[in-house]
Amino acid sequence: MKCTRCKKTAAVALPRHNAGFCPECYGVFFSRQVEKAIKERELFSKEDKILIALSGGKDSLALARELQLLGYNIAGLHIDLAIPGSSVKARGHVERFCSDFGVDLHVLEMENEGMPIPEVRKKFNRPVCSVCGRIKRYYFNRFAMDNGFNVLATGHNLDDEAARLFSNVMRWDAAYLGAQGPDLPGDQGFVRKVKPLYRVSEFETANYSFLAKIDYCYAPCPYSKGASFTFYKSLLDELENEQPGRKLSFYEGFLNRGRQAFARIDQEDGEKLCPCPRCGYPTTGEICGVCRIREIMHH
Amino acid sequence: MQILIEPENQWATIDKATTVLNLLKELELRPNQALVIRDGELLTPDRKVGPQENITVRKIASRG
């Protein structure tokens, strides 16, 4: 297969774009997809101070590298979850990346916050992924708010977003559907959240990271086995294989023609936010979810 | 041909495959589910592969 742009031997084949790219031209393709997402959805500008959630995986590191190359004002935040055999490796990848590419890095340790994930896991009778996700979202938001960042960027890609949309549709969860998208505005204690990789697939970020010589962590989280999103992703992979381009049209169709309706329902019927009396960050209940987890950990 | 499968870090021997697409089929993977790497170079599904080669197949699905 030849590169669609320069006719050299292609390194990456992309059926959904009916194209192939050599390593040099693939970088151009990837940059254009990210820039298109930023411009079309007005995600942020060069004036914004952007905090990137860095897990050490291919997506978050690819995002940091690309936004750095595009000239945005970025810094990274890594949350060390204290999972044996996993967190030390992930943190090592993030630290090496930030040192090699000159990205400012902040690290928060859940051990110091009294919530190491293995201990949290012992206290809850349900999959730890949702609790862990809640804790990470809380601390990413709180760190951004406390440290003057006005945008929080995550490495969620098209596969993540399409699988999440599929999951929300399966449950017809109006509140989640109304709040899903690559551009969630900042409001009432929440920093603006953006997902600049929503147009590129997991396969595309993996290729980008490999070609950009990013030493990323590809070992899965030991606690994530059997997560429902992994199953939804494999279903959507089958669909994409039969109908290239279907994932993006499913997700963009929702953004352009479905999301507003669900957002309206949620505005009318959804729960209202108020500050948590303990930490001051927004909650729909009396005490926010993370303060409740902290309370359970102390008992 | 010797195949290193990541992230499991398992080795497999596959002799029947003559192209990357065949190799992925033998491993029950779709072309968009893994990077196929030979001597530090990414291979597209149409590329030929030979019996004496060492190839890495890195699955790309992130979990957690």
Side-chain angles (χ1 to χ4, degrees):
Chain A
M1 182 180 206
K2 299 288 179 201
C3 174
T4 306
R5 289 182 81 233
C6 74
K7 309 302 174 200
K8 283 187 202 161
T9 301
V12 187
L14 299 178
R16 76 184 179 103
H17 293 281
N18 198 21
F21 296 105
C22 71
E24 293 75 27
C25 295
Y26 186 73
V28 176
F29 156 80
F30 193 90
S31 287
R32 285 181 180 167
Q33 293 297 317
V34 176
E35 279 188 299
K36 188 171 180 182
I38 295 168
K39 294 207 170 108
E40 270 191 8
R41 302 283 164 192
E42 298 178 343
L43 299 184
F44 45 77
S45 73
K46 299 272 165 77
E47 317 307 317
D48 289 310
K49 197 174 165 197
I50 304 164
L51 182 69
I52 303 179
L54 296 178
S55 67
K58 61 189 184 308
D59 304 306
S60 61
L61 299 185
L63 173 63
R65 180 64 181 142
E66 189 53 37
L67 294 190
Q68 182 189 45
L69 288 172
L70 291 172
Y72 288 99
N73 180 8
I74 60 159
L77 173 62
H78 175 69
I79 295 185
D80 187 326
L81 302 167
I83 299 172
S86 166
S87 294
V88 169
K89 281 187 200 164
R91 182 172 173 167
H93 283 279
V94 172
E95 288 175 341
R96 281 194 297 281
F97 169 85
C98 289
S99 163
D100 291 350
F101 291 100
V103 174
D104 287 343
L105 173 65
H106 308 271
V107 177
L108 273 180
E109 296 181 356
M110 286 304 99
E111 188 92 57
N112 292 344
E113 302 294 330
M115 282 186 278
I117 297 302
E119 295 304 313
V120 173
R121 189 172 178 238
K122 285 181 197 164
K123 297 263 184 180
F124 286 83
N125 272 336
R126 57 187 166 116
V128 76
C129 295
S130 64
V131 183
C132 181
R134 182 185 283 261
I135 292 171
K136 285 192 288 188
R137 284 192 299 277
Y138 174 89
Y139 279 104
F140 280 127
N141 181 63
R142 183 173 170 164
F143 187 91
M145 296 292 286
D146 290 351
N147 291 278
F149 292 93
N150 62 331
V151 176
L152 173 63
T154 58
H156 290 98
N157 56 48
L158 176 59
D159 294 75
D160 298 323
E161 287 299 280
R164 186 171 172 215
L165 175 58
F166 186 74
S167 167
N168 291 339
V169 166
M170 286 291 107
R171 291 177 287 111
W172 290 115
D173 191 321
Y176 278 40
L177 285 163
Q180 179 169 3
D183 49 348
L184 305 178
D187 191 23
Q188 298 184 68
F190 285 118
V191 69
R192 180 176 173 76
K193 292 188 187 70
V194 297
K195 299 168 185 171
L197 299 186
Y198 84 88
R199 291 186 56 84
V200 292
S201 70
E202 194 152 34
F203 179 67
E204 288 160 12
T205 59
N207 280 286
Y208 177 87
S209 291
F210 181 88
L211 293 170
K213 301 193 186 329
I214 294 171
D215 172 27
Y216 64 89
C217 181
Y218 46 82
C221 172
Y223 296 159
S224 69
K225 205 171 180 190
S228 57
F229 268 31
T230 314
F231 176 62
Y232 292 146
K233 279 184 180 179
S234 64
L235 285 178
L236 292 168
D237 276 347
E238 289 298 311
L239 183 65
E240 181 74 16
N241 193 59
E242 291 297 319
Q243 302 176 359
R246 185 55 72 191
K247 277 183 202 168
L248 186 61
S249 65
F250 174 53
Y251 187 61
E252 284 217 305
F254 164 73
L255 294 180
N256 295 334
R257 298 188 293 280
R259 180 168 64 159
Q260 276 184 332
F262 289 105
R264 266 199 304 274
I265 294 170
D266 192 42
Q267 257 178 3
E268 286 163 14
D269 306 334
E271 294 174 299
K272 300 288 173 256
L273 291 169
C274 57
C276 169
R278 296 200 183 158
C279 69
Y281 279 88
T283 176
T284 52
E286 246 180 63
I287 299 167
C288 80
V290 171
C291 285
R292 273 204 310 274
I293 294 167
R294 198 176 283 124
E295 193 175 84
I296 291 166
M297 295 302 292
H298 287 160
H299 283 96
Chain B
M1 148 183 31
Q2 293 296 305
I3 313 294
L4 172 62
I5 302 164
E6 294 176 341
E8 293 89 345
N9 285 325
Q10 289 171 345
W11 286 91
T13 304
I14 291 177
D15 291 325
K16 279 192 274 179
T18 55
T19 65
V20 169
L21 187 61
N22 289 340
L23 168 63
L24 290 169
K25 273 186 187 162
E26 289 288 323
L27 296 169
E28 297 182 345
L29 288 168
R30 301 284 189 199
N32 62 354
Q33 290 178 323
L35 303 185
V36 180
I37 305 158
R38 179 177 62 196
D39 299 330
E41 182 195 12
L42 290 175
L43 303 179
T44 50
D46 61 312
R47 294 288 291 274
K48 297 253 186 293
V49 286
Q52 303 305 319
E53 292 174 346
N54 288 328
I55 289 180
T56 300
V57 172
R58 185 179 296 169
K59 296 180 197 168
I60 52 98
S62 58
R63 263 187 20 213

